């Protein structure tokens, strides 16, 4: 057990700090401080020693250099059980610093605010992060408090133990400190590399949340990241591992649709079982639900539109795990909260990572996200029949869904509505047959519908099967050495076909 006799306090965020300062003062602790924190403590009527008295230097270069001095870092780092260290501290009049309370400039918040480059650079903390690392390294002698989120716990320990700490306390705070510095440095690195702090390359530096279990109950799981930064939860239980995976799929799909085009999507096991766009939220939801009301049971629903009472009354009839929307009317929210376990999320605006990672074998695969979505202007007509404007809109719509469906996949759609999809099949022909069977089972007439494929057709069998089912326009990447066989079939049977040149495998 070590009793705190001296403390260095220099923080950006001062909320919650006052009770700790008062307790330290009541126990006769010598307090050292700088700048705004020094003024804050002095305004409380508590004596404080300016750091300048230790260093012999004022704060210089616009505050860039305040604590970077051997008198400060020596007081943190010298080993109290090392006779040489103790002798040197005495020789150079370096006081011991038993406690360091310091946080970091709000770098991530500054980036998120849209600030300019110079403002962002000025929020790269130098002294603070150095103090944190020093205090954490010498946890045997020094308590490092590196975040305002630790203030309550710090106060509790100090009150309970008479302004003293044990080795377990100090090592725990040191562990958290290195997590904080790792996260902070990662955010800075990502900004320099990507122009954003959004990345998960060093995911262990991100905030951690233990989940009830993983994909199955016998698997443990942790989420690395800040869900609260992305969603405001209004109702329901905590998100599970599978919930988070489905929510991720929902977000990826709905982001394909412009906010001015009211869209609903229903996801089950990361694949869309219903998607529709319409002039009203109610119509969009009901059209999405009609695609596959059986699979929709227990699914995740997302929309890019406000949830009003009219659509809420329809949504409330469905057993769903999660509903995600940008906003809710109060009467709609009151109705939807009637089921206590139903998770209701408000999505916040936030930059998302541009990279994807997957653990495989004895390593990790990394790739850019598939951010290519082809529109009509990027579709090259290769058949004699040219698709109509309505068919081009339908092909664009189908391709957006196709991109977010497990390969091999075929998507059947009309302008603004998914009719059916074949998902995750080992054969593209099987995927098409599955889609046709599903569409027929839910009463959809495929006459005049369109088809999207995530990859090229190596043989003309798919366009032949689609033609027999009533499909009249097809979009695919092209690129097979036998493309001409599919083109010839389309020309002989008056089908329109366009190529995009972009494949959308999803495994």
């Amino acid at each position: 057990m070590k009793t705190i006799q001296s403390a260095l306090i220099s923080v950006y965020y001062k909320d919650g700090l006052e009770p700790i300062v008062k307790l330290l003062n009541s126990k006769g602790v010598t307090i050292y401080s700088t700048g705004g924190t020094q003024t804050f403590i002095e305004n409380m009527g508590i004596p404080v020693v300016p750091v300048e008295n230790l260093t012999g230097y004022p704060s210089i270069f616009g505050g860039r250099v305040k604590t970077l001095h051997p008198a400060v870092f020596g007081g943190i780092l010298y080993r109290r059980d090392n006779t040489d260290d103790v002798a040197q501290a005495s020789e150079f009049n370096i006081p011991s610093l038993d406690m360091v309370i310091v946080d970091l400039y709000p770098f991530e918040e500054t980036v998120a605010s849209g600030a300019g480059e110079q403002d962002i650079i000025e929020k790269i903390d130098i002294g603070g992060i150095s103090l944190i690392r020093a205090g954490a390294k010498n946890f045997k002698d020094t308590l490092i408090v590196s975040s305002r989120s630790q203030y309550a716990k710090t106060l509790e320990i100090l009150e309970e133990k008479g302004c003293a700490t044990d080795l377990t306390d100090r090592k725990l705070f040191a562990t958290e400190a290195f997590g904080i510095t790792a996260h902070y440095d990662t955010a800075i690195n990502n900004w320099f590399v990507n122009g954003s702090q959004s990345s998960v390359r060093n995911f262990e530096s991100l905030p951690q949340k233990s989940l009830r279990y993983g994909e199955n109950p016998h698997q443990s799981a942790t989420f690395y990241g800040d869900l609260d930064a992305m969603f405001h939860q209004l109702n329901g239980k905590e998100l599970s591992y599978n919930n988070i995976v489905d929510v991720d799929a929902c977000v990826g799909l709905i982001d394909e649709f412009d906010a001015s085009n009211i869209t609903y999507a229903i996801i089950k096991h990361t694949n869309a079982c219903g998607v529709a766009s319409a002039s009203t939220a109610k119509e969009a939801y009901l059209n999405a639900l009609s695609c596959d009301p059986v699979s929709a049971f227990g699914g995740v629903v997302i929309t890019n539109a406000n949830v009003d009472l009219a659509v809420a009354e329809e949504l409330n009839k469905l057993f769903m795990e999660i509903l995600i929307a940008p906003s809710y009317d109060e009467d709609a929210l009151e109705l939807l909260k009637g089921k206590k376990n139903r998770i209701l999320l408000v999505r916040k605006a936030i930059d998302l990572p541009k990279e994807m990672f997957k653990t495989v074998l004895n390593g990790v695969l990394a790739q850019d996200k598939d951010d290519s979505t082809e529109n009509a202007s990027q579709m090259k007509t290769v058949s004699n029949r040219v698709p109509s404007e309505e068919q081009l809109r339908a092909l664009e719509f189908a391709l957006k869904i196709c991109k977010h469906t497990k390969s091999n996949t075929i998507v059947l759609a009309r302008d603004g509505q998914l009719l059916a999809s074949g998902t995750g099949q080992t054969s593209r022909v099987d995927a098409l047959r599955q889609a046709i069977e599903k569409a027929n089972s839910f009463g959809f007439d495929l006459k005049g519908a369109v088809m999207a494929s995530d990859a090229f057709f190596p043989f003309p069998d798919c366009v032949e099967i689609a033609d027999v089912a009533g499909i009249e326009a097809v979009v695919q990447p092209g690129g097979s050495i036998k493309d001409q066989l599919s083109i010839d079939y389309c020309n002989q049977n008056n089908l329109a076909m366009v190529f995009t040149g972009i494949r959308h495998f999803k495994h």
Side-chain angles (χ1 to χ4, degrees):
M1 192 76 71
K2 284 186 175 287
T3 300
I4 296 171
Q5 297 179 333
S6 60
L8 170 63
I9 306 176
S10 180
V11 296
Y12 188 90
Y13 295 106
K14 299 167 184 67
D15 42 311
L17 181 64
E18 184 174 339
I20 297 175
V21 175
K22 287 182 175 179
L23 177 61
L24 294 174
N25 180 61
S26 73
K27 297 296 183 180
V29 175
T30 301
I31 298 175
Y32 299 87
S33 191
T34 65
T37 308
Q38 178 184 332
T39 302
F40 173 80
I41 296 172
E42 289 173 337
N43 289 341
M44 294 168 58
I46 292 175
V48 57
V49 179
V51 166
E52 289 90 332
N53 289 9
L54 291 180
T55 66
Y57 283 89
S59 174
I60 57 177
F61 308 129
R64 281 189 167 198
V65 179
K66 290 182 283 190
T67 58
L68 295 168
H69 193 278
V72 175
F73 282 86
I76 298 170
L77 285 165
Y78 89 82
R79 292 158 290 188
R80 278 56 157 182
D81 60 356
N82 184 296
T83 55
D84 289 341
D85 283 12
V86 172
Q88 283 190 318
S90 176
E91 178 185 356
F92 295 107
N93 296 315
I94 296 175
S96 66
L97 294 172
D98 307 318
M99 180 180 191
V100 177
I101 304 177
V102 61
D103 59 10
L104 299 169
Y105 290 160
F107 177 82
E108 291 177 279
E109 293 87 339
T110 304
V111 173
S113 73
E117 181 179 279
Q118 191 56 44
D119 289 334
I120 292 171
I121 288 173
E122 289 305 318
K123 287 299 185 289
I124 297 175
D125 207 313
I126 304 300
I129 203 163
S130 301
L131 290 168
I132 290 173
R133 291 179 64 84
K137 177 176 180 175
N138 198 28
F139 67 87
K140 286 186 177 181
D141 299 306
T142 304
L143 174 68
I144 176 65
V145 180
S146 50
S147 169
R148 57 180 167 169
S149 66
Q150 299 169 327
Y151 288 173
K153 181 64 176 176
T154 301
L155 184 62
E156 179 185 330
I157 291 172
L158 296 182
E159 288 177 336
E160 178 185 332
K161 299 179 180 178
C163 213
T165 61
D166 59 34
L167 185 61
T168 301
D169 297 327
R170 296 191 297 276
K171 190 170 185 178
L172 175 63
F173 276 72
T175 301
E176 293 179 359
F178 282 120
I180 287 168
T181 60
H183 176 82
Y184 193 77
D185 283 336
T186 298
I188 294 169
N189 174 256
N190 289 335
W191 179 74
F192 272 93
V193 173
N194 306 317
S196 166
Q197 73 264 21
S198 296
S199 179
V200 292
R201 277 190 176 271
N202 299 305
F203 70 90
E204 288 188 335
S205 70
L206 299 174
Q208 301 179 26
K209 180 179 179 59
S210 294
L211 305 176
R212 294 195 304 275
Y213 53 82
E215 200 162 6
N216 299 291
H218 63 277
Q219 296 170 268
S220 61
T222 302
F223 176 76
Y224 293 86
D226 185 4
L227 285 173
D228 292 336
M230 187 162 182
F231 300 106
H232 176 44
Q233 185 164 344
L234 304 175
N235 192 66
K237 57 190 178 182
E238 286 191 350
L239 290 168
S240 69
Y241 178 98
N242 290 332
N243 287 156
I244 292 171
V245 172
D246 279 338
V247 167
D248 178 66
C250 281
V251 168
L253 177 56
I254 204 70
D255 282 353
E256 297 287 349
F257 298 91
D258 188 88
S260 63
N261 195 13
I262 298 173
T263 303
Y264 267 78
I266 306 171
I267 298 290
K268 192 71 168 287
H269 297 299
T270 74
N271 291 311
C273 57
V275 185
S277 300
S279 58
T280 68
K282 181 178 178 179
E283 181 184 2
Y285 167 68
L286 290 177
N287 286 347
L289 179 64
S290 68
C291 173
D292 186 350
V294 175
S295 296
F297 182 86
V300 179
V301 180
I302 190 168
T303 180
N304 60 2
N306 175 63
V307 176
D308 58 25
L309 183 60
V311 71
E313 288 174 340
E314 297 298 332
L315 286 161
N316 199 47
K317 299 173 185 177
L318 175 69
F319 169 70
M320 56 182 159
E321 290 270 348
I322 305 169
L323 174 61
I324 309 163
S327 59
Y328 299 78
D329 286 346
E330 283 300 321
D331 51 1
L333 189 58
E334 182 179 357
L335 174 64
L336 293 167
K337 280 185 174 181
K339 292 184 172 60
K340 66 177 183 178
N341 287 331
R342 178 186 286 156
I343 299 170
L344 302 176
L345 300 176
V346 174
R347 184 179 172 191
K348 303 176 185 178
I350 185 174
D351 289 334
L352 295 177
K354 301 297 185 183
E355 298 169 295
M356 301 175 66
F357 303 88
K358 181 185 289 187
T359 55
V360 293
L361 303 175
N362 62 341
V364 176
L365 285 171
Q367 68 170 351
D368 296 335
K369 275 192 172 179
D370 182 359
D371 60 0
S372 176
T373 302
E374 297 73 51
N375 56 37
S377 66
Q378 297 163 288
M379 296 178 182
K380 177 185 177 182
T381 302
V382 294
S383 58
N384 293 337
R385 180 177 174 178
V386 177
S388 66
E389 289 298 316
E390 181 180 357
Q391 286 174 330
L392 284 171
R393 290 194 301 270
L395 290 169
E396 286 182 350
F397 182 89
L399 197 56
K400 291 175 180 179
I401 302 167
C402 191
K403 170 183 166 182
H404 292 274
T405 306
K406 290 288 186 183
S407 299
N408 289 310
T409 185
I410 292 289
V411 169
L412 308 180
R414 295 188 188 279
D415 183 14
Q417 185 179 22
L418 171 65
L419 303 181
S421 61
T423 63
Q425 299 300 304
T426 54
S427 158
R428 200 161 306 283
V429 171
D430 288 344
L432 174 56
R433 286 175 173 155
Q434 181 191 50
I436 292 171
E437 182 181 349
K438 284 197 101 175
N440 290 336
S441 70
F442 291 112
F444 289 110
D445 182 1
L446 294 176
K447 179 64 176 174
V450 305
M451 174 175 76
S453 174
D454 59 339
F456 63 65
F457 299 124
F459 303 102
D461 45 7
C462 281
V463 288
E464 181 178 354
I465 295 168
D467 176 34
V468 172
I471 302 297
E472 294 187 7
V474 179
V475 59
Q476 58 139 320
S480 168
I481 59 173
K482 296 184 178 180
D483 276 344
Q484 194 60 45
L485 296 178
S486 294
I487 295 171
D488 290 343
Y489 183 90
C490 289
N491 289 338
Q492 293 162 9
N493 294 275
N494 196 32
L495 270 68
M497 178 180 282
V498 298
F499 285 1
T500 63
I502 303 293
R503 189 182 71 187
H504 291 292
F505 271 165
K506 188 170 187 287
H507 293 108

